[in-house]
């Protein structure tokens, strides 16, 4: 136990380290997200992620958003296991035809109001894979999209910016 | 019997059985020190597998290709770093091809893939169900054939893949749990059908193919640059390995030599990819048994590692850094020094962390003996990479059939016999240390070589139509097969992910384990869905 505590102590709290410009931006960004979530979602935004055909790079970066450097959960954003618990569907990949129905059903299982973020170049436009016998291309071709986050894959910071963009869009609506 | 002798004896046995064709079918560029190419008559396809099995060869993948005179079938067989590539010609009015799956169970899904995409019919096969095809195209359509368009005029929704005939199981108190394709975490999609009695799993059947996005078809007509870009997206976590393998296949077919410096930098990129993925997996395995401490520690280390990737190459996951004939970024002396510091720092960080993982009672309790894969099963399925190494299979392309910079680097590969989740975790830890050692040596060698101008040059047209490259990705052995037309455009691209073998292994690994331990078993294997579904 002492060894574990010593490692934790050794690292300190990475998320509060505002030494670099980069970290400061993350903090400011997060606070803006938090304020918007506070107003619109009573302080808690639940995201359900669906990989509709990605190459799995997008998933790696979404994992990083939950890591200690970004720790998006401190701003009230958390990932949930069921679409029925989710406010936002975060979709990656071009929508493969084999995932088309699964994606649509996942979206239908969400309660209103529901939002969809298309995350990554493939989700935004079809990307490298486009439309084909096997792919429906962009998420927008299958379910309505509220916000698109470009990037191949989007970095954790771009992901956080995208979620903020959704908040602003939600405010205006 | 040494490995060379095994391949040699196998080829002699094929000749004695009258299975070999005297004429070479097509020219295929291969790493000549390790790969022998032979033409096989198609009626001896299954016989060849039986003989290979008798000679103790590992089955490393099969694929097919449409040519003007019909089809070509390929199978790659291996023994300790030596390979033999068998090529056979088949025509549509020929008899169905005798299946190799009775000798090698891992062949079944690849043969089904070949059937679904190219319409190769099999006889004597153990499983005739569709595999990659769900309901995006009809049973009598074959997307990889040249008469099938990339864009179909199909409109409307693709129906759900219902009525797939899962193997039934009957008995008192036995129940089924269908899981997926959408899983409860941030993970790729696939369907798992568990059959359980009480808590222990009696049977698991995987149903994959959900992320099939037509990669093999999309490659057709591409030039070298855009093919490598596509290869870098076969499985995003292995982008360096695939881009490297594709670039290598192109360079091989063009007779183009890559300078030692570029080889070393490519090696450095590949080892960085391996370390980043292992760090992520070590944390995630611990997280799946509730040990969040290790997950956070590993994620923090991984993040620092990825930021350095971005600083050096402009991409956190190193996508599109390797290009045919070279690389997109040089390594400055300043960055070289920073990487050396990073490695030292990472060593200092992981030693005490891994010490904790090695003797933490609650981890031991959950990971030791969980998800056991016997050496015999691993061998039968031809599993490579950390899953194989944790079950006594000492296969590592970098070591056994060294390419590029690995030819001049000393390193040893570790294997364990335990075959459980704990062993797969331990192998990842050992691989990080071995990668750090390799990167150290690479950086020292790089100090001796002057920086190179990255000239934009026209790429020579391949002078051999086919090419096969073999590299070691962080998951294990990766193959890339390419065929070009006379203008140097790609007409066939087949990347074979090591997951073709670890997915069937997972079905065995979970047997007798409790359903709640499936996530940790799955994570310890971490097979790629995208790399498999193509």
């Amino acid at each position: 136990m002492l060894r574990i505590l010593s490692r934790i102590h050794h690292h300190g709290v990475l998320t509060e380290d505002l030494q670099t410009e980069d970290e400061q931006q993350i903090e400011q960004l997060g606070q803006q997200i938090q304020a918007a979530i506070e107003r619109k979602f009573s302080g808690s935004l639940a995201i359900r992620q669906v990989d509709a055909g990605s190459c799995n790079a997008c998933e790696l970066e979404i994992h990083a958003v939950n890591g200690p450097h970004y720790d998006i959960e401190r701003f009230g954003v958390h990932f949930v296991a069921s679409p029925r618990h989710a406010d936002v569907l975060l979709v990656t990949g071009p929508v493969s035809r084999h995932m088309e129905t699964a994606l649509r059903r996942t979206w239908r299982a969400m309660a209103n109001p529901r939002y969809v973020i298309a995350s990554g170049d493939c989700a935004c436009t079809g990307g490298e894979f486009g439309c084909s016998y096997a792919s429906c291309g962009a998420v927008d071709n299958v379910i309505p999209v509220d916000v698109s986050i470009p990037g191949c894959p989007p970095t954790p910071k771009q992901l956080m910016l995208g979620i903020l963009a959704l908040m602003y869009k939600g405010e205006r609506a | 019997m040494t490995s060379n002798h095994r391949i040699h004896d196998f080829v002699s046995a094929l000749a004695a059985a009258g299975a070999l064709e005297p004429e070479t079918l097509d020219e295929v560029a291969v790493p000549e020190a390790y790969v022998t190419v032979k033409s096989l008559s198609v009626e001896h396809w299954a016989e060849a597998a039986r003989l290979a099995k008798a000679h103790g060869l590992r089955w490393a993948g099969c694929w097919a290709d449409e040519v003007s005179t019909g089809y070509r079938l390929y199978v790659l067989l291996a023994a300790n770093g030596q390979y033999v590539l068998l090529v056979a010609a088949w025509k549509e009015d020929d008899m169905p091809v005798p299946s190799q799956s009775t000798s090698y169970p891992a062949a079944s899904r690849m043969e089904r893939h070949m059937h679904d995409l190219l319409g190769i019919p099999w006889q004597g096969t153990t499983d005739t169900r569709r595999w990659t095809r769900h309901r995006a195209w009809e049973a009598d359509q074959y997307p990889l054939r040249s008469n099938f368009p990339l864009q179909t005029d199909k409109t409307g929704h693709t129906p759900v893949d219902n009525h797939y005939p899962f193997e039934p199981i009957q008995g008192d108190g036995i129940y089924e749990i269908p899981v997926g394709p959408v899983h409860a975490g941030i993970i790729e999609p696939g369907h798992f059908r568990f059959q359980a009695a009480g808590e222990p799993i009696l049977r698991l059947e995987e149903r994959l193919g959900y992320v099939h996005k037509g990669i093999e078809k999309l490659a057709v007509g591409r030039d070298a640059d855009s093919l490598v870009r596509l290869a870098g997206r076969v499985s995003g976590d292995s982008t360096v390995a695939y881009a490297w393998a594709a670039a290598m296949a192109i360079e091989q077919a063009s007779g183009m030599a890559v300078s030692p410096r570029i080889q070393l930098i490519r090696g450095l990129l590949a080892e960085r990819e391996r370390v980043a993925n292992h760090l992520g997996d070590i944390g995630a395995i611990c997280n799946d048994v509730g040990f969040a401490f290790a997950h956070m520690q590993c994620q923090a280390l991984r993040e620092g590692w990825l930021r350095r990737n971005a600083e050096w190459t402009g991409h956190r996951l190193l996508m599109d850094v390797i290009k045919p004939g070279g690389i997109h970024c040089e390594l400055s002396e300043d960055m070289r020094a920073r990487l050396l510091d990073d490695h030292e720092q990472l060593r200092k960080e992981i030693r005490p962390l891994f010490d904790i993982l090695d003797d933490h009672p609650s981890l031991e309790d959950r990971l030791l003996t969980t998800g056991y894969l016997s050496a015999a099963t691993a061998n039968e399925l031809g599993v490579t990479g950390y899953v194989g190494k944790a079950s006594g299979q000492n296969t590592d392309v970098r070591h056994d059939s060294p390419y590029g910079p690995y030819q001049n680097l000393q390193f040893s590969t570790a294997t364990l016999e335990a075959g459980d989740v704990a062993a797969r975790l331990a192998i990842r830890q050992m691989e990080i240390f071995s990668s750090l050692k390799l990167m150290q040596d690479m950086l020292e060698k790089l100090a001796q070589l002057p920086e190179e101008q990255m000239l934009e040059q026209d790429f020579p047209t391949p002078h051999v139509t086919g090419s096969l490259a073999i590299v070691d990705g962080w998951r294990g052995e990766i193959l890339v097969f390419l065929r070009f037309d006379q203008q140097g455009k790609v007409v066939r691209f087949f990347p074979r992910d090591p997951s073709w073998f670890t997915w069937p292994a997972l079905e065995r690994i979970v047997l007798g384990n409790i359903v709640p331990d499936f996530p940790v078993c799955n994570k310890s294997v971490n097979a790629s869905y995208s790399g498999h579904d193509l």
Side-chain angles (χ1 to χ4, degrees):
Chain A
M1 197 65 216
L2 268 180
R3 286 183 305 173
I4 294 177
L5 292 174
S6 126
R7 292 315 298 164
I8 292 172
H9 177 71
H10 167 74
H11 275 281
V13 180
L14 293 169
T15 23
E16 285 187 355
D17 181 4
L18 297 176
Q19 296 304 304
T20 65
E21 190 198 350
D22 196 38
E23 296 277 359
Q24 239 163 21
Q25 284 174 2
I26 289 167
E27 186 73 11
Q28 283 167 4
L29 186 60
Q31 282 165 2
Q32 291 174 56
I33 295 180
Q34 194 172 24
I37 290 171
E38 199 66 52
R39 283 193 301 277
K40 275 202 71 77
F41 294 94
S42 306
S44 156
L45 181 76
I47 300 183
R48 169 69 246 211
Q49 192 264 339
V50 171
D51 173 348
S54 91
C55 74
N56 78 27
C58 282
E59 280 62 44
L60 295 175
E61 292 295 53
I62 296 170
H63 277 295
V65 169
N66 287 312
H69 282 85
Y70 303 98
D71 187 22
I72 199 169
E73 192 149 353
R74 72 192 145 135
F75 305 117
V77 180
H78 58 288
F79 286 79
V80 293
S82 168
R84 301 206 187 274
H85 303 157
D87 305 302
V88 173
L89 198 61
L90 181 68
V91 187
T92 62
V95 183
S96 74
R97 290 191 187 267
H98 293 170
M99 275 301 288
E100 187 186 341
T101 304
L103 174 65
R104 197 174 281 115
R105 285 183 182 178
T106 306
W107 176 69
R108 280 208 205 111
M110 294 170 74
N112 275 311
R114 59 188 171 193
Y115 300 92
V116 176
I117 301 178
S119 180
D121 286 348
C122 296
C124 295
T125 66
E128 194 66 23
F129 305 103
C131 290
S132 72
Y133 78 92
S135 163
C136 306
V139 174
D140 210 9
N141 295 340
V142 178
I143 54 173
V145 169
D146 297 286
V147 164
S148 297
I149 309 177
C152 187
T155 62
K157 212 165 110 187
Q158 286 171 317
L159 285 166
M160 289 174 96
L161 272 169
I163 294 167
L164 181 66
L166 177 69
M167 294 298 113
Y168 280 154
K169 191 170 172 168
E171 290 283 279
R172 281 204 311 274
Chain B
M1 190 159 55
T2 70
S3 54
N4 282 350
H5 287 147
R6 261 196 257 170
I7 296 279
H8 181 265
D9 291 352
F10 166 64
V11 173
S12 307
L14 281 179
L20 293 181
E21 299 277 4
E23 303 275 314
T24 305
L25 278 173
D26 313 284
E27 221 183 328
V28 181
V30 292
E32 278 166 17
Y34 312 113
V35 186
T36 315
V37 186
K38 294 284 170 193
S39 299
L40 186 75
S41 67
V42 72
E43 59 268 32
H44 290 93
W45 195 251
E47 175 68 12
R50 271 191 294 279
L51 284 170
K53 183 93 174 174
H55 284 82
L57 304 191
R58 174 170 62 85
W59 193 89
C62 68
W63 61 96
D65 191 4
E66 188 184 8
V67 293
S68 56
T69 54
Y71 295 85
R72 292 283 185 268
L73 310 179
Y74 299 84
V75 61
L76 189 72
L77 297 150
N80 300 340
Q82 289 292 320
Y83 298 84
V84 58
L85 177 68
L86 300 177
V87 190
W90 179 81
K91 287 193 193 68
E92 249 192 302
D93 45 8
D94 285 353
M95 293 286 287
V97 185
S99 166
Q100 299 191 333
S101 63
T102 44
S103 300
Y104 290 102
S108 172
R109 286 178 183 175
M110 296 196 83
E111 288 179 352
R112 288 158 72 191
H113 177 77
M114 284 159 77
H115 175 266
D116 289 355
L117 274 291
L118 263 165
I120 308 293
W122 300 99
Q123 61 167 333
T125 177
T126 49
D127 195 337
T128 54
R129 293 173 296 171
R130 64 184 190 274
W131 179 244
T132 307
R133 183 175 70 82
H134 289 198
R135 294 181 66 189
W137 65 94
E138 301 302 321
D140 57 353
Q141 296 179 324
Y142 304 108
L144 272 184
R145 289 192 177 180
S146 52
N147 61 7
F148 187 98
L150 174 64
Q151 314 281 350
T152 51
D153 47 11
K154 193 169 172 172
T155 51
H157 298 174
T158 311
V160 71
D161 181 35
N162 48 8
H163 307 306
Y164 178 78
F166 286 98
E167 291 276 347
I169 186 170
Q170 290 181 329
D172 281 347
I174 295 177
Y175 59 97
E176 279 197 348
I177 314 172
V179 178
V182 177
H183 296 301
I186 301 167
I187 179 174
E188 296 176 81
H191 182 92
F192 300 113
R193 185 64 60 99
F194 296 97
Q195 288 153 342
E199 282 197 305
I201 299 168
L202 294 179
R203 220 178 142 268
L204 162 65
E205 189 172 345
E206 295 154 358
R207 175 78 184 114
L208 301 175
Y210 286 92
V211 289
H212 175 76
K213 40 196 175 279
I215 288 176
E216 291 165 272
K217 187 84 177 176
L218 279 168
V220 177
R222 289 195 177 220
D223 62 12
D225 279 318
S226 85
L227 189 271
V228 171
R229 195 181 146 78
L230 179 67
R233 284 157 182 79
V234 167
S235 180
D237 51 21
S238 306
T239 179
V240 173
Y242 275 106
W244 192 0
M248 204 185 277
I250 294 166
E251 289 150 10
Q252 207 170 248
S254 313
M256 182 182 186
V258 176
S259 74
R261 186 173 169 89
I262 288 174
Q263 290 182 358
L264 281 164
I265 293 178
R266 285 177 174 183
L268 203 54
L269 294 165
E271 297 306 322
R272 286 192 74 81
E273 175 168 274
R274 185 179 299 259
V275 169
N277 281 302
H278 283 337
L279 281 174
D281 273 8
I282 290 169
I285 290 169
C286 293
N287 195 48
D288 274 346
V289 293
F291 195 53
F293 158 76
H295 186 41
M296 288 299 137
Q297 295 270 320
C298 285
Q299 278 205 303
L301 296 173
R302 183 181 148 93
E303 178 64 22
W305 197 252
L306 299 189
R307 286 181 183 186
R308 184 68 80 206
N309 282 349
E311 197 186 334
W312 173 25
T313 69
H315 198 288
R316 286 164 54 90
L317 304 176
L318 307 172
M319 268 184 173
D320 304 325
V321 178
I322 290 179
K323 63 174 182 179
I327 38 174
H328 278 294
C329 69
E330 246 299 352
L331 179 72
S332 67
E333 185 48 38
D334 177 49
M335 184 53 74
R336 201 186 73 86
R338 262 182 282 175
L339 293 183
L340 280 170
D341 276 355
D342 276 4
H343 300 167
E344 202 41 53
Q345 201 57 38
L346 186 65
R347 271 197 202 92
K348 276 193 200 144
E349 292 283 346
I350 57 179
R351 280 211 182 93
L353 177 62
F354 290 175
D355 279 349
I356 294 171
L357 303 189
D358 285 344
D359 66 343
H360 192 71
S362 69
L363 276 182
E364 279 178 13
D365 191 40
R366 294 295 306 280
L367 304 183
L368 284 173
T369 72
T370 302
Y372 172 66
L373 179 70
S374 71
T377 307
N379 183 273
E380 186 187 26
L381 293 173
V383 178
T384 63
Y386 48 79
V387 180
K389 285 174 187 167
S391 294
Q393 307 303 303
N394 195 1
T395 309
D396 191 315
V397 189
R398 298 171 299 168
H399 183 268
D400 306 339
S401 334
Y403 48 94
Y406 299 108
Q407 281 159 344
N408 303 314
L409 293 164
Q410 296 291 323
F411 82 111
S412 56
T413 58
T415 54
L416 295 170
E417 299 296 326
D420 53 7
V421 175
R424 291 190 281 279
L425 184 71
I427 288 286
R428 284 173 166 93
Q429 296 173 10
M430 293 178 204
E431 286 210 341
I432 292 182
F433 284 115
S434 120
S435 286
L436 283 170
K437 160 85 169 59
L438 272 168
M439 287 189 286
Q440 186 86 16
D441 293 350
M442 288 171 177
L443 287 173
E444 274 165 25
K445 282 178 186 282
L446 279 165
Q448 316 296 322
L449 299 166
E451 281 188 37
E452 289 177 17
Q453 293 289 324
M454 296 290 155
L455 294 175
E456 290 299 325
Q457 52 182 335
D458 280 340
F459 206 77
T461 308
H463 55 72
V464 182
T465 55
S467 185
L468 173 73
I470 310 171
V471 303
D472 208 72
W474 71 279
R475 273 197 185 86
E477 178 194 69
I478 286 176
L479 314 178
V480 164
F481 175 80
L482 284 173
R483 194 163 61 81
F484 307 92
D485 65 14
Q486 288 186 334
Q487 285 72 46
K489 296 272 190 269
V490 174
V491 283
R492 182 73 173 107
F493 169 48
F494 182 66
R496 200 278 285 132
D497 198 83
S499 304
W500 281 100
F501 306 107
T502 51
W503 277 122
L506 180 64
E507 288 185 341
R508 316 283 189 96
I509 277 172
V510 298
L511 297 181
N513 287 266
I514 58 174
V515 177
D517 270 352
F518 174 72
V520 71
C521 291
N522 188 21
K523 193 71 217 179
S524 76
V525 172
N526 195 4
S528 171
Y529 298 72
S530 182
H532 166 280
D533 295 353
L534 303 183

